[in-house]
C-alpha cells in the first residue's frame, strides 16, 4: 500500500480556500509600512469641491485578483530625502514576498504610486 501523499490527488477535494482582497491589502499594508522611507499610506480625501476622483478608489491599496494571481496598487507618502526608485523597489519586493509567503497567491505586479512627499519638520515656514 502506497502511503505517500500526492498533491495532485484529484479524488476528492477538502474544499476551497478563498482569501479576500481585504486580507491581501492588509498584508500589503504591513509590508509597505515596514520599509524605511515610507511615511504612510496615502489617504484619499475628497478634493476641495467635495468630489472623489472617479479614477481612483478611496483606498490606498487596491488588489486586482484573477485566478489566484494578484496585481497590487499601492499609494504611499514618502519621506523627504529618500531615494524614491529604491524605496519603491523595496516596497515591491517586500509586498510580493509577504503576500506570496502568507497566502500562496502569486503576485504578478506591484504598482507603486507616490502620492506625496512628507517633510519631517511640521512647520517648514517657521523661519520664513
Amino acid at each position: 500500500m502506497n502511503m505517500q501523499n500526492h498533491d495532485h490527488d484529484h479524488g476528492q477535494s477538502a474544499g476551497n480556500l478563498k482569501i479576500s482582497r481585504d486580507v491581501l491589502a492588509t498584508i500589503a499594508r504591513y509590508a509597505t509600512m515596514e520599509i524605511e522611507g515610507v511615511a504612510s499610506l496615502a489617504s484619499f480625501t475628497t478634493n476641495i469641491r467635495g468630489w472623489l476622483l472617479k479614477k481612483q478608489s478611496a483606498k490606498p491599496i487596491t488588489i486586482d485578483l484573477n485566478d489566484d494571481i494578484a496585481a497590487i496598487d499601492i499609494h504611499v507618502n514618502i519621506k523627504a530625502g529618500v531615494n524614491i526608485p529604491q524605496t519603491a523597489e523595496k516596497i515591491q519586493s517586500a509586498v510580493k514576498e509577504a503576500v506570496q509567503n502568507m497566502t500562496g497567491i502569486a503576485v504578478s505586479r506591484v504598482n507603486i504610486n507616490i502620492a506625496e512627499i512628507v517633510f519631517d519638520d511640521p512647520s517648514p515656514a517657521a523661519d520664513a
Side-chain angles (χ1 to χ4, degrees), residues 14-91:
N16 288 329
L17 168 64
K18 279 272 178 253
I19 295 171
S20 76
R21 287 181 176 83
D22 284 349
V23 169
L24 298 180
T26 301
I27 296 169
R29 170 179 294 118
Y30 278 105
T32 301
M33 295 312 296
E34 300 273 86
I35 303 300
E36 206 180 318
V38 173
S40 59
L41 291 171
S43 56
F44 289 119
T45 47
T46 49
N47 67 16
I48 297 161
R49 297 200 183 99
W51 300 332
L52 197 57
L53 299 176
K54 294 243 177 0
K55 206 181 152 224
Q56 35 205 12
S57 71
K59 292 182 176 170
I61 298 181
T62 53
I63 310 280
D64 188 20
L65 196 54
N66 250 325
D67 299 327
D68 281 348
I69 296 174
I72 303 173
D73 274 273
I74 304 176
H75 297 257
V76 291
N77 299 327
I78 294 288
K79 292 177 182 163
V82 304
N83 179 316
I84 292 176
Q86 219 170 41
T87 305
E89 229 167 84
K90 283 183 192 159
I91 297 170

